[in-house]
Amino acid sequence: MATASFDTAGRAARPVSPIEKAPEVTALATLPGRKRSLVGLTRADLKQALLDIGVAERETRMRVSQLWHWIYVRGAREFSEMTNVGKGLKAQLAERFTLERPEIVSEQVSRDGTRKWLLRMAPTGAHDHNRGAEIECVYIPGDDRGTLCVSSQVGCTLTCSFCHTGTQRLVRNLSTAEIVSQLVVARDALGDFAGQMPSKDGGGEVGRLVTNIVFMGMGEPLYNLDAVIDAVSVMSDQEGLALSRRRITVSTSGIVPQIERLGLEANAMLAISLHAVRDDLRDELVPLNRKYPIAQLLEVCRNYPGVSNARRITFEYVMLKGVNDSDADARALVRLLKGIPAKINLIPFNPWPGSKYECSDWERIDRFSEIVFNAGYASPVRTPRGRDILAACGQLKSETEKMRARARMLMEEGLGAEGFYAGGED
Ligand code: SAH
Ligand code: SF4
């Protein structure tokens, strides 16, 4: 495999892959002429929406609370459901706004219960060809929790060499509402809003199924930090979606200057995609390392606001056969993390069509995790989930993008794309 070379002389001679492909784009909230959905908005944006339709300032506090409850606790889909909102206001709201969610284009359910949704966002303009960007979102049920893996961007500008999302061309930031809507859609689909689940008192309990959020879908959350901070605040609002911030984990490839702000303003749990213990190898796997090398990254981790043994940082380590999985790597990993309250999460590499790596053998992963465990770290190996539906980490890439790539390939081969589009995906 021509991936990992520890020979620094050779390294200088190798062509260097770009760290980033293109700057990310922030889309317009709503296209002119389209009604705006109130789903996913912050309290401040809801207030502004009410002021825009002429609700008096002194009334907005109460009205925001009502809308908040209907949207985030009850999962209302129509303004007409809002029994404590007057008829006149309901009509005004319906005239200017909607409660639309992103459209579920497809749902795949794995044999192990994992569900993957392909969601189409409302169109935002030319950069998503006026048809709405598509992103993926995955629900992973567990014994004592249900984890929703959300996306923060369409695609990713970074170019980690083992990640499928990083090969996607189209990139834009998701808005706060588009991030929050992923949780709303999941609760809709799972029947996880109040009143949808039967319970003893008949009222239903909110959020029994989705209990945890991980920002481990498409995109680099710290390149869209404003929206991520607001999304965490909406998702963790105790009068609404009511997730605990301790159950919201933001994973980053290591945007060093943004990490402290994530801690201070989102107060979310931090996961770092480390994957290598030496700069020469990490430069290759996570090219952003050339900008923010390991020592700098670990320094900000040591100072992450609120870090303690009760609030540890998760270090993700993808197991790549013959690349980063030796006993020496495991020992170096343990030495490197000394003094940082840490958990180590070993992720079996998920191959995707065209990827140049292989997943380490199970015996190797076992041995690696034993070394880490003996050094005092809990080192759960992330069980591959939803593999049969390509729902695992690093495999998320939108269908449109895949279709375009296929269509391009067919065109390059002189076969034309129409038949493919007409026939649909295989
Ligand atoms: N951009 C952020 C979050 C999204 S990626 C980040 O990089 O942290 C979520 C996790 O999946 C990261 O740890 C990433 O390194 C890992 N990952 C990416 N591609 C993978 C693959 N093919 N197999 C296993 N894990 C992968
Ligand atoms: Fe982007 Fe994360 Fe994939 Fe790297 S691993 S390309 S940062 S999504």
Side-chain angles (χ1 to χ4, degrees), residues 8 135 152 178 287 289 293 302 364:
T8 40
I135 56 118
S152 55
E178 288 171 327
N289 193 69
R302 271 178 235 285
R364 186 86 300 273

Side-chain angles (χ1 to χ4, degrees), residues 222-288:
L222 298 201
Y223 271 169
N224 189 14
L225 190 51
D226 289 340
V228 166
I229 288 171
D230 281 348
V232 170
S233 103
V234 176
M235 289 167 165
S236 62
D237 188 296
Q238 291 307 303
E239 284 161 28
L241 292 162
L243 282 148
S244 154
R245 286 179 194 255
R246 301 186 53 145
R247 288 171 170 263
I248 301 180
T249 301
V250 176
S251 173
T252 178
S253 55
I255 321 290
V256 163
Q258 305 290 348
I259 290 178
E260 186 185 22
R261 204 182 140 215
L262 174 75
L264 290 176
E265 296 183 37
N267 193 16
M269 303 300 282
L270 175 65
I272 299 284
S273 295
L274 190 61
H275 308 318
V277 290
R278 286 178 310 276
D279 282 323
D280 59 350
L281 178 57
R282 196 164 188 271
D283 284 354
E284 198 171 300
L285 301 178
V286 183
L288 185 75

Side-chain angles (χ1 to χ4, degrees), residues 19 21 153 155-167 216-221 223 251-255 273 275 285-288 394 396:
I19 294 177
K21 288 179 299 214
Q153 297 185 305
C156 184
T157 55
L158 295 172
T159 51
C160 302
S161 54
F162 54 89
C163 174
H164 201 196
T165 307
T167 65
M216 293 186 188
M218 292 160 67
E220 171 46 60
Y223 271 169
S251 173
T252 178
S253 55
I255 321 290
S273 295
H275 308 318
L285 301 178
V286 183
L288 185 75
L396 303 186

Side-chain angles (χ1 to χ4, degrees), residues 85-92:
V85 176
K87 225 170 160 190
L89 180 55
K90 275 194 291 212
Q92 261 180 300

Side-chain angles (χ1 to χ4, degrees), residues 27-238:
L28 289 173
T30 323
L31 276 186
R34 266 184 81 94
K35 284 191 200 175
R36 183 178 192 193
S37 172
L38 299 184
V39 175
L41 297 193
T42 60
R43 284 181 188 269
D45 286 342
L46 274 182
K47 176 178 174 182
Q48 191 55 53
L50 289 169
L51 290 171
D52 289 348
I53 58 168
V55 173
E57 169 85 41
R58 65 188 139 70
E59 243 189 69
T60 51
R61 203 183 152 87
M62 174 191 68
R63 296 298 181 201
V64 167
S65 289
Q66 289 174 328
L67 286 174
W68 197 259
H69 180 82
W70 284 108
I71 296 173
Y72 296 127
V73 179
R74 316 287 300 192
R77 287 164 166 275
E78 304 287 341
F79 291 109
S80 57
E81 291 173 50
M82 303 184 171
T83 43
N84 58 353
V85 176
K87 225 170 160 190
L89 180 55
K90 275 194 291 212
Q92 261 180 300
L93 286 166
E95 201 177 302
R96 289 284 296 278
F97 304 113
T98 72
L99 294 172
E100 270 173 24
R101 296 79 161 101
E103 176 195 349
I104 299 184
V105 178
S106 65
E107 177 187 55
Q108 284 172 280
V109 183
S110 161
R111 284 189 291 274
D112 65 18
T114 299
R115 285 164 185 248
K116 179 171 81 170
W117 295 287
L118 175 68
L119 305 181
R120 184 177 299 136
M121 302 294 159
T124 55
H127 49 266
D128 50 46
H129 308 288
N130 292 314
R131 53 179 297 215
E134 289 176 2
I135 56 118
E136 290 184 332
C137 173
V138 180
Y139 171 68
I140 308 149
D143 291 341
D144 59 346
R145 67 180 61 185
T147 304
L148 188 70
C149 176
V150 299
S151 296
S152 55
Q153 297 185 305
V154 180
C156 184
T157 55
L158 295 172
T159 51
C160 302
S161 54
F162 54 89
C163 174
H164 201 196
T165 307
T167 65
Q168 185 164 324
R169 272 178 321 136
L170 260 187
V171 184
R172 78 163 172 83
N173 279 335
L174 292 177
S175 65
T176 300
E178 288 171 327
I179 298 172
V180 173
S181 294
Q182 296 170 59
L183 173 55
V184 173
V185 168
R187 285 209 169 139
D188 282 342
L190 297 167
D192 199 23
F193 275 113
Q196 295 178 334
M197 296 285 285
S199 75
K200 282 190 294 274
D201 60 10
E205 197 182 325
V206 195
R208 293 197 308 190
L209 297 174
V210 181
T211 57
N212 292 52
I213 300 278
V214 291
F215 282 79
M216 293 186 188
M218 292 160 67
E220 171 46 60
L222 298 201
Y223 271 169
N224 189 14
L225 190 51
D226 289 340
V228 166
I229 288 171
D230 281 348
V232 170
S233 103
V234 176
M235 289 167 165
S236 62
D237 188 296
Q238 291 307 303

